[in-house]
């Protein structure tokens, strides 16, 4: 076999490539698979949260806010535990961000609540003196795009096998299930039900009226998304 | 002989070029420049004369010794002893490689998380050491700086709650919060038995459920710092759990007469939800910081 290979340079080169490629696969793939598996407690996004994620992306929040806490004491003191790669398993695309004009938002759901986000998005400097973040008041009037969010849910479920309607292990040993509706109308109804829970903690009357009439303002979706960042 | 003379001339030419290019910059006291010239000379001499040695070897020496049995298309190989230096290095490298694969790399490999853990351990130790015995005043100051970083976004720099966006910490409790707790009950702070809503609150003075008028009176009384009208309702309804002075009972109910560090610590650990809005738990503060915030918040309403 080796005698034959030594006399055939082309096949020898192929054999060298196969050998090295195999060694590479054996060393790289298991580690990679382990690191990209969702961490315990990482859930896929619900329809409303995905709609909020789209609002987040649409308004380029990631231009000023990162979602990646590096393992330095100075960062974990400010923002919470450092990020793990498996926590981005359901982020398509991930929103690490390249610049921190504002604080990191990876775990904002642990330290801020619905009513704070409402005040802050309406008038950032009103709650954080000296803040240079602009107000995002149109989010209180614009409607969130639930159709696209549901389309994304169905796509990632079909293409990447994202576990909707399946038990997901949580940190305390229990399991939770993130539902994905069977039809667009059902998805809209589900998103509206989620929105009602959020709006119960809000004070803006226009937003409350919109949700009462069956519409979901962008701010509600965005808050659902921000609250899910934990 | 010709080769040696040629080599010497070549070295001279190289040095001449070097001197032309850099020599002018070398001053009288420029040790580094002179050293560099010396280095250039040494490099040139070694390079040239080592090359000459090998050229001469190719020209003059003939290989000899016993031929190995194998023969590749007429090309043979002499049986030479392994050079001693090479053999020693080979063996040493093998031993080192075994150590490195089995012990060196697995046990001493760099890890970002490992470095982070060390950093945190060192910081925590020095933090605990530095702030082990704080006097009351320093504790309040420390609490204030933690408050500005972690709490002021909702409670405001003056701890006034920014026009009702969060609780005003300059007084223990607001009237609407008392009313909300009485009407809806409360179970924020992880006590074993939650506070019942109004359908579970009896006024022992009247022997009946608490009434709207009584709620209004006692809310004002508590928000007023346990002063004014309503003491009878308080004693009849609330004192059983919150104590006759309103300062709470351990494991039963919190103080509603004043702040104390333990109460603040409980809120920071559990978060809470009331009529104003929800406050998340602040797990990222350490024990010392929680104590400090407790001292600061307590000092605000004193």
């Amino acid at each position: 076999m080796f005698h034959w290979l030594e006399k055939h340079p082309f096949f020898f080169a192929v054999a060298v490539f196969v050998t090295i490629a195999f060694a590479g696969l054996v060393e790289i793939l298991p580690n990679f698979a382990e690191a990209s598996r969702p961490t315990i407690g990482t859930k896929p996004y619900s329809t409303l949260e995905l709609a909020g994620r789209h609002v987040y992306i649409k308004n380029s929040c990631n231009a000023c806010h990162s979602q990646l806490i590096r393992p330095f004491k100075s960062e974990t003191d400010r923002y919470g535990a450092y990020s793990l790669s498996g926590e981005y398993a359901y982020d398509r695309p991930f929103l690490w961000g390249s610049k921190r004009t504002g604080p990191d938002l990876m775990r904002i759901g642990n330290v801020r609540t619905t009513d704070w986000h409402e005040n802050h998005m309406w008038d950032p400097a009103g709650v954080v003196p000296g803040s240079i973040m602009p107000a995002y008041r149109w989010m209180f009037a614009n409607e969130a795009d639930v159709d696209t969010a549901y389309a994304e849910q169905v796509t990632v479920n079909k293409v990447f096998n994202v576990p909707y309607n399946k038990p997901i292990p949580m940190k305390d040993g229990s399991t939770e299930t993130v539902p994905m509706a069977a039809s667009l109308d059902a998805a809209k109804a589900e998103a509206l039900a989620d929105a009602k829970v959020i709006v119960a903690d809000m004070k803006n009357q226009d937003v409350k009226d919109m949700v009462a009439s069956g519409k979901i303002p962008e701010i509600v979706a965005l808050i659902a998304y921000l609250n899910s960042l934990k | 002989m010709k080769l040696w003379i040629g080599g010497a001339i070549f070295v001279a030419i190289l040095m001449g070029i070097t001197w032309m290019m850099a020599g002018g910059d070398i001053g009288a006291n420029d040790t580094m420049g002179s050293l560099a010239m010396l280095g250039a000379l040494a490099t040139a001499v070694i390079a040239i004369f080592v090359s000459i040695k090998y050229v001469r070897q190719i020209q003059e020496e003939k290989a000899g010794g016993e031929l190995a049995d194998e023969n590749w298309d007429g090309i043979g190989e002499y049986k030479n002893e392994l050079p001693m230096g090479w053999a020693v290095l080979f063996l040493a490298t093998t031993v080192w490689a075994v150590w490195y694969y089995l012990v060196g790399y697995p046990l001493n490999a760099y890890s970002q998380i490992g470095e982070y853990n060390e950093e945190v351990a060192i910081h925590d130790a020095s933090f605990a050491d530095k702030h082990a015995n704080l006097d009351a005043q320093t504790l309040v100051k420390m609490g204030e700086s933690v408050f500005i970083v972690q709490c002021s976004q909702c409670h405001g720099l003056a701890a006034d709650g920014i026009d009702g966006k969060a609780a005003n910490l300059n007084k223990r409790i607001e009237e609407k919060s008392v009313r909300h707790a009485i009407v809806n009950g409360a179970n924020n702070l992880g006590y074993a038995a939650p506070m019942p809503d109004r359908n579970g609150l009896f006024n022992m003075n009247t022997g009946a459920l608490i009434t709207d008028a009584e709620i209004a009176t006692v809310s004002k009384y508590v928000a007023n710092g346990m002063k004014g009208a309503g003491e009878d309702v308080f004693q009849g309804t609330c004192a059983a759990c919150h104590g006759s002075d309103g300062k709470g009972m351990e494991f039963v109910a919190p103080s509603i007469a004043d702040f104390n560090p333990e109460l603040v610590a409980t809120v920071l650990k559990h978060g809470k939800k009331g009529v104003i809005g929800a406050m998340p738990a602040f797990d990222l503060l350490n024990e010392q910081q929680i104590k400090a915030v407790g001292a600061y918040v307590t000092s605000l309403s004193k």
Side-chain angles (χ1 to χ4, degrees):
Chain A
M1 175 71 187
F2 290 115
H3 210 256
W4 182 85
L5 272 180
E6 279 179 1
K7 287 180 191 159
H8 296 81
F10 173 75
F11 293 106
F12 188 81
V14 171
V16 166
F17 175 78
V18 168
T19 309
I20 293 177
F22 175 74
L25 286 181
V26 167
E27 285 185 14
I28 296 164
L29 269 191
N31 235 338
F32 185 74
E34 182 65 38
S36 55
R37 204 169 289 152
T39 40
I40 304 288
T42 303
K43 291 186 290 183
Y45 296 108
S46 73
T47 320
L48 187 64
E49 286 163 8
L50 263 184
R53 208 177 120 83
H54 293 164
V55 175
Y56 186 95
I57 295 171
K58 190 167 89 173
N59 289 279
S60 288
C61 301
N62 56 318
C64 293
H65 294 280
S66 59
Q67 286 188 25
L68 175 73
I69 306 169
R70 295 170 291 178
F72 304 132
K73 174 124 178 76
S74 52
E75 301 222 341
T76 53
D77 273 1
R78 270 182 217 157
Y79 308 127
Y82 52 79
S83 312
L84 303 168
S85 54
E87 289 177 299
Y88 303 100
Y90 305 123
D91 277 13
R92 291 186 172 87
F94 57 76
L95 297 170
W96 293 347
S98 55
K99 188 166 175 285
R100 273 192 195 141
T101 304
D104 189 281
L105 300 181
M106 176 89 192
R107 307 200 190 278
I108 193 70
N110 287 331
V111 284
R112 297 289 182 269
T113 48
T114 302
D115 50 313
W116 186 83
H117 285 305
E118 182 187 13
N119 291 324
H120 184 244
M121 300 303 286
W122 185 260
D123 178 19
V127 278
V128 184
S131 169
I132 57 164
M133 177 166 144
Y136 286 81
R137 295 192 182 171
W138 59 84
M139 288 184 186
F140 291 73
N142 285 6
E143 242 189 284
D145 185 356
V146 178
D147 299 31
T148 310
Y150 180 63
E152 181 174 334
Q153 252 188 332
V154 173
T155 311
V156 295
N157 179 245
K158 289 225 165 105
V159 179
F160 301 115
N161 205 15
V162 169
Y164 286 111
N165 298 328
K166 282 180 194 160
I168 294 153
M170 303 307 288
K171 282 201 181 91
D172 57 6
S174 64
T175 56
E176 279 184 33
T177 310
V178 179
M180 184 183 79
S183 70
L184 178 59
D185 287 339
K188 281 185 172 165
E190 225 164 62
L192 190 64
D194 289 349
K196 278 182 180 151
V197 175
I198 296 217
V199 145
D201 289 339
M202 293 178 70
K203 297 200 169 62
N204 186 305
Q205 200 51 49
D206 294 342
V207 171
K208 281 179 181 290
D209 291 347
M210 264 181 94
V211 173
S213 70
K215 294 180 192 158
I216 301 175
E218 285 184 333
I219 185 74
V220 177
L222 182 74
I223 289 175
Y225 172 61
L226 292 174
N227 285 346
S228 80
L229 297 176
K230 285 184 175 177
Chain B
M1 196 59 200
K2 257 196 283 180
L3 264 177
W4 294 110
I5 295 171
I9 293 172
F10 192 45
V11 169
I13 292 170
L14 280 180
M15 291 312 294
I17 293 172
T18 313
W19 181 256
M20 274 170 68
M21 285 168 66
D25 295 334
I26 299 173
N29 297 320
D30 187 357
T31 334
M32 287 314 288
S34 309
L35 276 176
M37 279 308 282
L38 233 115
L41 180 69
T43 314
V45 168
I46 291 170
I48 298 297
F49 286 97
V50 167
S51 320
I52 289 174
K53 176 183 176 283
Y54 282 113
V55 169
R56 305 266 303 168
Q57 205 173 324
I58 294 167
Q59 283 176 337
E60 291 167 6
E61 286 193 13
K62 294 222 180 299
E66 194 188 339
L67 269 175
D69 293 337
E70 293 91 347
N71 186 304
W72 292 272
D73 298 336
I75 301 173
E77 186 184 34
Y78 290 120
K79 282 184 179 170
N80 284 333
E81 289 291 319
L82 284 178
M84 192 46 135
W86 186 90
V88 168
L89 272 180
F90 180 75
L91 276 177
T93 312
T94 310
V95 171
W96 176 83
V98 169
W99 171 84
Y100 187 70
Y101 288 145
L102 297 182
V103 181
Y105 182 74
L107 299 190
N108 300 310
Y110 172 78
S111 138
Q112 201 180 14
I113 303 302
E115 188 179 345
Y116 168 77
N117 289 339
E118 273 169 29
E119 184 190 2
V120 171
I122 290 170
H123 180 273
D124 286 353
S126 85
F127 185 92
D129 191 41
K130 193 171 163 192
H131 302 296
N133 297 305
L134 290 183
D135 58 84
Q137 214 174 353
T138 322
L139 201 63
V140 169
K141 279 221 154 122
M142 182 181 179
E144 186 178 2
S145 65
V146 175
F147 187 90
I148 288 171
V149 175
Q150 300 286 358
C151 319
S152 69
Q153 287 86 345
C154 298
H155 290 286
L157 289 170
D160 57 0
I162 323 181
D163 296 335
K165 292 194 178 79
N168 178 356
L169 299 178
N170 293 305
K171 56 184 289 191
R172 171 61 188 93
I173 196 162
E174 283 163 74
E175 195 185 327
K176 61 176 176 179
S177 300
V178 185
R179 187 194 308 271
H180 182 83
I182 295 174
V183 173
N184 299 296
N187 186 22
N188 282 314
L189 304 178
Y191 288 103
M195 170 170 168
D197 62 14
R198 59 180 302 170
N199 296 320
L201 292 173
F202 285 92
N203 186 342
M204 282 191 247
N205 298 332
T206 60
L209 282 174
I210 191 164
T211 63
D212 282 344
E214 283 169 349
I215 290 175
T217 321
V218 82
S219 299
K220 251 195 204 102
Y221 172 76
V222 172
N224 217 0
M226 320 288 292
K227 279 193 281 282
E231 195 186 345
D232 51 332
V233 186
F234 186 86
Q235 297 302 345
T237 311
C238 318
C241 293
H242 288 286
S244 57
D245 56 358
K247 296 209 169 183
M249 286 183 207
E250 212 176 349
F251 307 119
V252 179
S255 166
I256 49 175
D258 57 5
F259 279 114
N260 56 60
E262 294 77 33
L263 171 65
V264 177
T266 316
V267 175
L268 283 172
K269 281 173 193 161
H270 288 89
K272 66 177 294 183
K273 193 167 182 196
V275 66
I276 302 170
M279 167 173 164
F282 277 78
D283 299 332
L284 38 69
L285 298 180
N286 64 31
E287 285 299 322
Q288 185 70 32
Q289 288 170 322
I290 287 177
K291 224 167 101 184
V293 174
Y296 174 67
V297 172
T298 308
S299 79
L300 285 174
S301 51
K302 270 206 174 120

